[in-house]
Amino acid sequence: MEVPLGGFRGNGLSKRIIPCLDVKDGRTVKGINFVDLRDAGDPVELAWQYSNQGADELVFLDITATHEKRKTTIEMVKSVARQINIPFTIGGGISELKDAEALLNAGADKISINSAAVRNPKLIDELAAAFGVQFVVLAVDTKHLPTGDFVHLNGGRIATELQTQLWIKEAEERGAGEILLTSMDKDGTKSGFDNILLKQINDMVSIPVIASGGAGSSQDFIDVFQQSNVDAALAASVFHYGEILIPELKQLLKNNQIEIRL
């Protein structure tokens, strides 16, 4: 098995801080609970700024690519690759090997799949076999219901009967190299990460887990690393609008004995 960019688990590697850029019609946007979107800037310019600020990686999600049956913009990927020297992941509209190959050739380091993998789980096997597990990130949008945690598709628009924990375990077995877990209940609320669910998932798998959904303060990042021990924490609006500055966040994490790359 090849080593994911995030590294194997439990070997003392630094935790990662990952800004997420949700892209719609060529612009970075942000909403609450996946709706009420507002503009947050040019994704290529933001990528350059985050790279200079010390972000460890970036994630770009074309949030309407699957919904509108579009493909992620290759030109944006090429532009980002020219601007930054940190790893970045692209997701949205990837449904077959040629989509992933085009993104890789354009300069992406990893691809993120979500809805397409649920509809065709063998896609995970195919991508892992073709490119290596380090290239394949499984994004999971999960919502807590009275009967448990369930996967949602198409930017959270479609509920499924797929239980989140079972799906993540299957994806790991199929060759996913990393899990990007977004709590829809927490997304955009700035009330903190879903640390209980994240710890449960993190303890269950042997591949890196990225926490997503709910970051509102620097303390939330301290809490997610201390309480769930995930490998990385992702956020959007708190970075886009300057509410949290990455250099200051990293210094605070280091001061709290959290292994971080300054």
Side-chain angles (χ1 to χ4, degrees), residues 160-181:
T160 75
E161 296 181 355
L162 192 57
Q163 207 269 343
T164 300
Q165 288 85 346
L166 293 177
W167 171 232
I168 288 174
K169 197 63 186 171
E170 178 183 345
E172 180 185 25
E173 292 168 356
R174 287 183 176 275
E178 200 161 9
I179 302 296
L180 170 54
L181 184 64

Side-chain angles (χ1 to χ4, degrees), residues 41-248:
D42 174 69
V44 180
E45 183 179 322
L46 282 171
W48 179 81
Q49 291 177 10
Y50 288 137
S51 179
N52 286 345
Q53 286 178 26
D56 297 297
E57 295 184 26
L58 297 175
V59 169
F60 295 84
L61 298 178
D62 191 333
I63 59 173
T64 55
T66 302
H67 180 59
E68 298 172 3
K69 304 295 188 289
R70 289 187 293 103
K71 303 300 182 186
T72 303
T73 306
I74 295 294
E75 288 308 312
M76 185 197 76
V77 177
K78 291 179 180 177
S79 296
V80 170
R82 286 193 293 266
Q83 292 287 336
I84 69 174
N85 59 2
I86 58 174
F88 70 99
T89 299
I90 300 285
I94 299 165
S95 59
E96 51 191 347
L97 287 181
K98 70 177 183 180
D99 300 329
E101 186 172 21
L103 292 166
L104 178 62
N105 290 338
D109 296 277
K110 296 183 268 190
I111 54 97
S112 170
I113 51 173
N114 187 337
S115 300
V118 172
R119 296 190 174 105
N120 175 25
K122 289 183 180 178
L123 179 62
I124 302 173
D125 306 69
E126 294 169 1
L127 289 168
F131 306 112
V133 296
Q134 84 282 0
F135 187 68
V136 185
V137 178
L138 180 78
V140 180
D141 296 332
T142 181
K143 191 168 188 175
H144 188 71
L145 301 175
T147 52
D149 300 292
F150 289 88
V151 176
H152 285 59
L153 305 182
N154 289 42
R157 295 175 182 86
I158 301 174
T160 75
E161 296 181 355
L162 192 57
Q163 207 269 343
T164 300
Q165 288 85 346
L166 293 177
W167 171 232
I168 288 174
K169 197 63 186 171
E170 178 183 345
E172 180 185 25
E173 292 168 356
R174 287 183 176 275
E178 200 161 9
I179 302 296
L180 170 54
L181 184 64
T182 300
S183 167
M184 292 178 59
D185 305 296
K186 292 282 192 172
D187 182 71
T189 64
K190 299 186 180 180
S191 61
F193 294 95
D194 192 341
N195 296 327
I196 294 174
L197 176 62
L198 286 163
K199 184 180 189 317
Q200 183 186 41
I201 299 297
N202 193 62
D203 289 348
M204 185 184 79
V205 298
S206 58
I207 55 177
V209 174
I210 303 170
S212 169
S217 69
S218 296
Q219 185 63 46
D220 293 334
F221 287 87
I222 296 172
D223 291 344
V224 74
F225 289 130
Q226 290 183 340
Q227 295 176 24
S228 73
N229 198 33
V230 291
D231 299 83
L234 174 150
S237 61
V238 291
F239 294 142
H240 300 337
Y241 303 122
E243 296 164 40
I244 295 177
L245 301 178
I246 291 173
E248 294 176 6

